């Protein structure tokens, strides 16, 4: 997993509450065998004027010019700013997959749905909870000022505005450790590689048949 | 020190390390892979630039999406009409080739439902930890294994590390004493157990099946029972190793031989619960009281004896159960109090990882001998669990018995168990099925599944409605 330390990026203000996972990535795209390829269908119902289906040619689809993601000034945004209860709905890990593939590694909102919040950490993304007042202030700034950026510093647990104003946020110490070091569950288990190898060496004596090659 | 249960022994033998939060790193000996839950795991591995930890642990076979009609199957992967299904199978083939993982491909004679193939090939051996991205992995506990299903992120975790992070479960023993009557099969035993303890009765437990009925039971019968442990809420179901286990494993293609065999057998013979082991919960049933079972509703606990009626709401133990039953009457199109033997059937499905082994097919064939499928049955299919089961059945002439009676003889796979391929029920159709789940829509949108043993399914096919196989 990609480590997350500090990120400075263009902010995309998605001025809505209760953005659910079906809106983040509609269900017809879950048939995929991939963990990638969801970026083009991120917010599909809002981004395009026609109905999307898996495997279509996206380049010729009619774009919804009123949707914030399609506005030229937010192209290349890496921080998504939204209202409360972001990511509610199903447990689909496709939601963080889609956001991260599109380019968002940070989502700031007053609150998140539990499962979505968890899934973000598993995928190298940082969900940041700030109060409704602060989010409101940032939302207004991002809408008013072209090229508005923010910096998220995970080590110090602060969001920094271009004026140097800082807002602190909470994050579980263990998750912070994993994210800072780019450790996913697998990465963590691999820290025990030596123990696994020792175990295997021992079992090769005790139960050697377990290790017989099956690729015959 | 008190003795250890079988589960304790298997757990201890596989614990690589303990972690501060009370979980352990558990080593996985055998990992079975199929096309539905593995693609994102392989992709995750690739994106992170990781390699499988131990190639010799993994074995793959496509089972859920494969067509069972011989003509389509003859074309191999290109015979899969649905594009999405085909792509899943192709992806499994590609991933296995890329990562150098052993695979029994679609038309390999060893292909089949992984829970049939693993034990049959000797790829699953007593004492192993076995995982698969499929909840019916508990099947392998029949060999004295610690086996359970996992999700896609865990599939990736096992591929990359050969371990799982797990917390130890509690121990439950389910004892079935006495002897089974004629016409009563392992499927009836497990359905009776689920009817007794409910679909959440085993939640949080590793279940060991014990008692005379299991001691007398064949390996295949034990697999049928362990397979459905998950339907009682238990991720793990097991039976201790005994002569039956050892005899079953001996001579299997991937089983150890000569000196290694001797070493293995010595270890395997230690895999039972010590006589002074303590279980957190013990449940007992009298095997002689078990009758052939039929599920009438939409949950595997909605089961009665074939001689009984669809239960009336006043029999429900509480309001929630009553509500569940009332929803089930409507979905199933049944009336409370109606005799089970009055339920007319439209389709018959003999197959699935619960009941598609050679003994299951023999049981069903013994019932139909010389008779014909009733006119009201639109379709009766027999789907062997693996290419090997199919070949064996054909060698014994069972396919002829089935086809002469009016059954279709299909190619191996999951088939109508979950209707991911083309084999499906139409809305409102009643099906006597030897599979394991009767959830709404499981065998096709609006379809009505009744879970029964292979013998009961065969008898129902001939009668056109449920009958007590004991007087058939
Ligand atoms: S036969 Fe049914 S329950 Fe068994 S693995 Fe296949 S789909 Fe799952």
């Amino acid at each position: 997993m990609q480590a997350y330390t500090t990120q400075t990026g263009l902010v995309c203000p998605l001025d809505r509450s209760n953005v659910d996972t079906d809106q983040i990535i509609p269900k017809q795209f879950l048939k995929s065998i991939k963990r990638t390829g969801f970026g083009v269908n991120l917010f599909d119902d809002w981004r395009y004027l026609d109905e999307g289906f898996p495997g279509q040619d996206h380049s010729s689809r009619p774009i919804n010019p009123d949707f914030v993601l399609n506005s030229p000034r937010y192209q290349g945004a890496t921080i998504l700013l939204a209202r409360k209860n972001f990511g509610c709905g199903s447990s689909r890990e496709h939601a963080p997959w889609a956001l991260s593939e599109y380019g968002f590694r940070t989502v700031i909102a007053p609150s998140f749905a539990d499962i979505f919040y968890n899934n973000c950490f598993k995928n190298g993304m940082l969900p940041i909870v700030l109060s409704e007042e602060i989010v409101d202030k940032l939302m207004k700034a991002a809408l008013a000022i072209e090229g508005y950026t923010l910096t998220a510093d995970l080590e110090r647990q602060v969001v920094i505005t271009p004026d140097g104003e800082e807002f602190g946020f909470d994050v579980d110490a263990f998750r912070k450790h994993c994210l800072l070091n780019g450790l996913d569950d697998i990465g963590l288990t691999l820290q025990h590689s030596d123990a696994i190898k020792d175990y295997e060496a021992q079992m090769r004596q005790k139960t050697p048949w377990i290790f017989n090659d099956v690729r015959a | 020190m008190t003795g250890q249960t079988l589960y304790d022994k298997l757990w201890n033998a596989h614990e690589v390390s303990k972690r501060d939060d009370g979980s352990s790193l558990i080593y996985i000996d055998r990992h079975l892979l199929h096309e539905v839950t593995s693609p994102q795991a392989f992709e995750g591995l690739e994106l992170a630039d990781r390699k499988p930890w131990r190639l010799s642990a993994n074995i793959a076979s496509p089972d859920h999406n494969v067509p069972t009609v011989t003509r389509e199957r003859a074309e191999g992967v290109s015979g899969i009409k649905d594009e999405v299904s085909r792509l899943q199978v192709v992806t499994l083939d590609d991933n296995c080739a890329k990562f150098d993982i052993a695979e029994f491909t679609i038309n390999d004679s060893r292909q089949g439902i992984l829970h049939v193939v693993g034990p049959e090939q000797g790829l699953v051996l007593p004492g192993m930890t076995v995982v698969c991205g499929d909840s019916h992995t508990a099947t392998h506990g029949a060999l004295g294994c610690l086996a359970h299903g996992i999700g896609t992120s865990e599939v990736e975790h096992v591929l990359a590390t050969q371990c799982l992070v797990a917390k130890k479960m509690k121990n439950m023993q389910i004892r079935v004493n006495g002897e089974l009557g004629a016409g009563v099969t392992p499927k009836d035993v497990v359905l009776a157990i689920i009817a007794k303890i409910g679909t959440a009765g085993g939640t949080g437990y590793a279940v060991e099946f014990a008692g005379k009925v299991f001691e007398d039971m064949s390996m295949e019968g034990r697999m049928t029972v362990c397979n459905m442990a998950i339907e009682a809420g238990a991720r793990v179901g097991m039976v201790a190793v005994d002569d039956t286990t050892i005899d079953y494993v001996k001579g299997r293609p991937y089983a150890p031989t000569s000196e290694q065999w001797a070493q293995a057998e010595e270890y395997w013979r230690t895999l039972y619960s010590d006589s002074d082991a303590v279980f957190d919960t013990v449940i007992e049933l009298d095997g002689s009281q078990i009758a052939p079972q039929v599920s009438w509703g939409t949950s595997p606990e909605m089961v009665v004896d074939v001689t009984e009626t669809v239960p009336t709401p006043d029999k429900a133990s509480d309001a929630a159960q009553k509500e569940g039953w009332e929803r089930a009457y409507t979905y199933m199109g049944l009336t409370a109090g109606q005799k089970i033997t009055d339920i007319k059937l439209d389709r018959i499905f003999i197959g699935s990882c619960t009941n598609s082994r050679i003994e299951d097919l023999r049981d069903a064939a013994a019932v139909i001998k010389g008779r014909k499928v009733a006119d009201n049955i639109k379709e009766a299919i027999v789907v062997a669990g693996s290419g090997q089961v199919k070949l064996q059945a054909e060698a014994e002439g069972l396919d002829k018995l089935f086809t002469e009676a009016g059954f279709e003889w299909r190619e191996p796979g999951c088939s109508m168990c979950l209707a991911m391929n083309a084999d499906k029920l139409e809305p409102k159709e009643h099906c006597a099925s030897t599979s394991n789940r009767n959830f709404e829509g499981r065998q096709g949108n609006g379809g009505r599944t009744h879970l029964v043993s292979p013998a009961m399914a065969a008898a129902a096919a001939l009668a056109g409605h449920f009958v007590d196989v004991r007087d058939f």
Side-chain angles (χ1 to χ4, degrees), chain B residues 387-398:
Chain B
Q388 292 301 303
V389 172
K390 183 165 183 269
L391 288 173
Q392 175 69 28
E394 287 167 356
E396 295 177 20
L398 302 185

Side-chain angles (χ1 to χ4, degrees), chain B residues 167-197:
Chain B
K167 282 199 170 141
K168 202 171 172 202
M169 293 178 265
K170 288 183 287 182
N171 279 291
M172 179 187 283
Q173 187 184 50
I174 298 181
R175 296 190 69 82
V176 185
N177 305 312
E179 281 183 29
L180 299 178
V184 180
T185 70
K187 180 67 162 286
D188 302 305
V189 173
V190 70
L191 286 174
I193 290 170
I194 297 165
K196 183 178 166 91
I197 72 171

Side-chain angles (χ1 to χ4, degrees), chain A residues 25 27 59 61 96 187 204:
Chain A
I25 181 82
K27 62 180 176 304
S59 59
R61 294 180 65 189
R204 274 179 204 280

Side-chain angles (χ1 to χ4, degrees), chain A residues 174-204:
Chain A
F174 180 69
R175 285 183 172 136
K176 177 179 173 178
H177 169 76
C178 294
L179 208 49
L180 278 175
N181 296 292
L183 302 171
D184 49 13
D185 288 359
I186 294 176
L188 280 178
T189 297
L190 287 174
Q191 289 185 336
H192 299 267
S193 289
D194 290 343
I196 304 172
K197 284 180 192 148
D198 287 350
Y199 173 88
E200 283 182 327
Q202 208 185 328
M203 296 319 280
R204 274 179 204 280

Side-chain angles (χ1 to χ4, degrees), chain A residues 73-74 135-146 148:
Chain A
R73 60 182 270 198
Y74 299 119
V135 168
D136 192 56
K137 189 172 157 181
L138 298 178
M139 191 70 76
K140 286 188 177 125
L143 289 164
I145 306 161
E146 205 162 326
Y148 187 78

